Amino acid sequence: MIPQIEIDKNKCATPYECKKCLQICPQAVFAVAPTKVERFKETAPEDYEVQAVFKDKCVLCMDCVKVCPTGAIKVKVGSS
Amino acid sequence: MEKYNFGLDEEMIKELSEEFAPRNFVKTLKLSQPHTIEDARASLEEYGRELARRSIEKGEKRIDRVYHVMKKAMEKTGEMKFPFILQRYLEIAYLSIQPFRRLRIVANSSKIISYRLNECSLYKAIEEEYGKEAANKMVCKSACFALIEEILSHFDFDIKPSLEASMADDRKCQFKIER
Amino acid sequence: MCELCEKYGDNGGRWYLNPENYARPLYKKVEKGKEKEPMILTELQGPFYYKPLIELKDNPEAFEKMREGYSKFHETMGGQVVSLEDAKKMVEIAQPIARMDCICRRITRATLEDGEQRPRTCLGLGVGMFRWEEWPERYKGGVEFLSTEEAKEHIEHWHKRGMVITIMTFGTPYIGGICLCDYPDCLAIRMRLDYGIKPMLLKGHQVAKVNYEECTGCGTCVQRCQFGAIKMEVTTKKSNIDMTRCFGCGVCTYACPQDAISLIDREKLPGLKEEW
Ligand code: SF4
Ligand code: SF4
Ligand code: SF4
Ligand code: SF4
Ligand code: SF4
């Protein structure tokens, strides 16, 4: 069963700068990307978003939950 | 970051397209008289050569961002004069006289430049003015060869271009410049 | 035969050694109001688009169906593993070559290769590199143009450290980059291995084979394989490569202190020649 992983966008304001969950996850479940891109301009840090993508790989070790400084991540055993 | 213009200077293309409009030029060839074919060849060569010269003259003054970055890359690596400077001037010349919006580049490596034209305004103008038979003699290739050779010699390349497919036989022209 | 070679090769040659697959014009006349927006954001958000597929991992039938769609898409944007030898031939054809930040690692691990603190790994190819300043977010930290020799050294440097060399196309068969990849941060390796999106990364033209006479069983190669193809066979004290899993990247051949592993042509093995 695929674990449920939710990230509260309001709590995670600048994920590309924090990047703690992205780097600690042993299963590399997360991905971070800009939500918009413009010509001749770098995207502002607050216009990034982190998402749990490779959820089927999650082993529910809870490392991400523990490392997140803002308490933005919730990980639960999946239900069908 | 600054908002650069990566496209060719539009004014330049417009000026060249007026100066070298194939229709107007083709009228001067008098190809209907058989004995003028040698003269026609000479004036097609002159047309191609002049188109190359003017393209380079203008193009060296109106430097878009692609050319700027390309020059810097060439300085840093000591490479890429072949194919890119040549490619730039071939594109400027053809985009000025041809109806298409991009030149179909078949290869542009460090050893070979090859490009294809699926339609050609010069060929078409000759056909319209003097008929299919005249056009299919492919005298017009003198213009293309002169254009290529002038660009090559301007940038100190001693290479002979070749025509691998022709409008008359293949409904397209394909040129190859290989070192 | 390799499908890409069949379609895009030059008279039976390898498709990525055909200069046509690197060719693009420098300029185009744009019609006002008809400029096409490039798919930069889609590219940057890559893995977000796989979420619906991954959600179906528990439902094999639905997963299979959706996977077909993804695979179809990646027929226009994907790649193949190449050996160091072939990669060196590629940079003799491709111009220009520019060193840049790896987009996959930026997305999966939030690391930026800006060339100062972290060395860059990826190579962008082709005339699009002359326009990198238009999209500073895509080419974060800028790009650095390399000569052919510098590019060869760059690839060799990373390959000998254990990176797999792969080709990336942007509108197959147009070759837009040579990437230096590892698992799990490389999205191409990952989508192929974990989710079976085959056209995203085809196997290379070779496969690795251990010479049991030479192998001392030191185990160095086992740690290097990014595809999980090598194990230590405890009883024989030799490493064993599963050639049906091997992608032919060649990383193990450089890792072996005994020179006991060699790459052989996939197409010479009837059992593997249709295995890409
Ligand atoms: S619980 Fe563990 S495996 Fe799952 S996403 Fe968090 S860090 Fe990764
Ligand atoms: S650790 Fe928490 S705050 Fe930091 S990027 Fe991840 S979700 Fe956002
Ligand atoms: S040789 Fe071909 S491309 Fe050149 S002018 Fe003649 S028809 Fe046109
Ligand atoms: S066995 Fe060797 S060549 Fe094959 S995939 Fe693994 S490291 Fe690469
Ligand atoms: S590195 Fe070479 S010698 Fe060591 S186990 Fe692998 S094949 Fe054998």
Side-chain angles (χ1 to χ4, degrees), chain A residues 7-8 11-22 30 50 64 67-73:
Chain A
I7 300 163
D8 186 339
K11 290 187 182 162
C12 172
T14 54
Y16 186 72
E17 295 187 339
C18 165
K19 64 183 78 170
K20 289 199 165 58
C21 56
L22 287 138
F30 300 99
V50 61
C64 57
V67 81
C68 179
T70 64
I73 311 178

Side-chain angles (χ1 to χ4, degrees), chain C residues 1-7 9 11-13 267 273-274 276:
Chain C
M1 196 180 172
C2 163
E3 214 176 287
L4 293 172
C5 293
E6 208 167 326
K7 276 199 208 146
N11 296 320
E267 281 169 88
K273 71 178 179 108
E274 299 301 335
W276 295 94

Side-chain angles (χ1 to χ4, degrees), chain A residues 21-63:
Chain A
C21 56
L22 287 138
Q23 298 198 333
I24 205 165
C25 177
Q27 296 295 92
V29 164
F30 300 99
V32 63
T35 51
K36 63 176 190 197
V37 55
E38 282 173 62
R39 283 191 161 79
F40 304 108
K41 222 170 138 182
E42 282 202 21
T43 303
E46 50 284 5
D47 290 324
Y48 273 86
E49 192 178 321
V50 61
Q51 293 189 12
V53 172
F54 305 101
K55 284 194 266 189
D56 61 317
K57 287 267 160 180
C58 170
V59 293
L60 295 127
C61 68
M62 299 298 161
D63 284 359

Side-chain angles (χ1 to χ4, degrees), chain C residues 173-242:
Chain C
Y174 180 72
I175 296 172
I178 296 181
C179 302
L180 291 126
C181 311
D182 56 355
Y183 184 93
D185 43 304
C186 162
L187 290 164
I189 297 184
R190 193 148 200 210
M191 292 314 292
R192 169 78 199 253
L193 284 188
D194 294 348
Y195 306 101
I197 312 289
K198 195 171 156 187
M200 201 154 172
L201 189 69
L202 293 182
K203 292 176 179 173
H205 282 258
Q206 284 135 321
V207 283
K209 194 162 183 245
V210 182
N211 178 345
Y212 287 142
E213 308 270 295
E214 312 263 330
C215 173
T216 59
C218 73
T220 313
C221 57
V222 185
Q223 313 155 14
R224 293 298 192 96
C225 184
Q226 302 288 348
F227 299 93
I230 319 182
K231 296 159 300 315
M232 204 60 207
E233 213 175 320
V234 182
T235 43
T236 60
K237 299 197 189 72
K238 309 274 178 199
S239 71
N240 174 269
I241 295 177
D242 179 349

